[in-house]
């Protein structure tokens, strides 16, 4: 999964007409490391979406703008609009993430 490096890159990615999952994370976050164990398999199951990660600590203004209060958080974007948000408290297991992806509105 590619990590977003700049604000411009973030804006370009989320503006695409493709469903994009942006995972807000941080290097010090133990739940984020746990997510890394099972997320590759889930990404394989959902190849119709683009997958990116962004370090919340490098982009605190984006975390605030998109109401990322905890990490990891998975946000769905399409056409520049945030369509869904899986908050950190509900992103602890593969079942949590799969349930979120199956319930998406798009």
């Amino acid at each position: 999964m590619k990590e977003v490096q700049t604000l411009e890159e973030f804006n370009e990615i989320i503006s695409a007409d493709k469903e994009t999952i942006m995972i807000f994370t941080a290097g010090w976050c133990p739940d984020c490391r746990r997510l890394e164990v099972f997320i590759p398999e889930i990404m394989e199951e959902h190849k119709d979406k683009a997958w990116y990660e962004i370090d919340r600590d490098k982009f605190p203004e984006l975390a605030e703008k998109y109401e990322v209060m905890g990490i990891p958080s998975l946000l769905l974007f399409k056409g520049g609009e945030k369509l869904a948000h899986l908050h950190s408290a509900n992103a602890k297991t593969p079942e949590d993430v799969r349930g979120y992806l199956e319930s998406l509105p798009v």
Side-chain angles (χ1 to χ4, degrees):
M1 179 171 12
K2 186 174 183 212
E3 183 176 351
V4 175
Q5 300 295 326
T6 67
L7 183 58
E8 294 76 20
E9 182 183 17
F10 175 86
N11 288 326
E12 183 178 320
I13 289 166
I14 69 163
S15 295
D17 199 34
K18 181 174 184 156
E19 293 177 5
T20 300
I21 301 290
M22 187 68 64
I23 303 176
F24 281 77
T25 185
W28 53 264
C29 167
D31 288 337
C32 300
R33 300 297 70 80
R34 178 173 159 70
L35 181 76
E36 289 174 355
V37 171
F38 61 80
I39 202 68
E41 182 178 322
I42 294 173
M43 290 169 59
E44 275 295 309
E45 297 166 4
H46 293 272
K47 290 182 177 182
D48 59 318
K49 295 168 183 51
W51 292 81
Y52 292 89
E53 68 178 345
I54 186 164
D55 188 318
R56 186 207 58 188
D57 292 343
K58 293 179 183 173
F59 298 94
E61 70 282 2
L62 291 176
E64 184 175 334
K65 178 178 180 178
Y66 293 107
E67 301 175 337
V68 175
M69 303 301 171
I71 50 175
S73 284
L74 286 73
L75 283 66
L76 172 70
F77 290 93
K78 185 175 181 183
E81 184 178 348
K82 178 177 124 176
L83 302 177
H85 187 150
L86 179 65
H87 297 272
S88 59
N90 302 315
K92 306 273 187 212
T93 69
E95 294 76 26
D96 289 340
V97 175
R98 284 187 175 100
Y100 163 71
L101 292 168
E102 290 166 11
S103 72
L104 290 175
V106 288

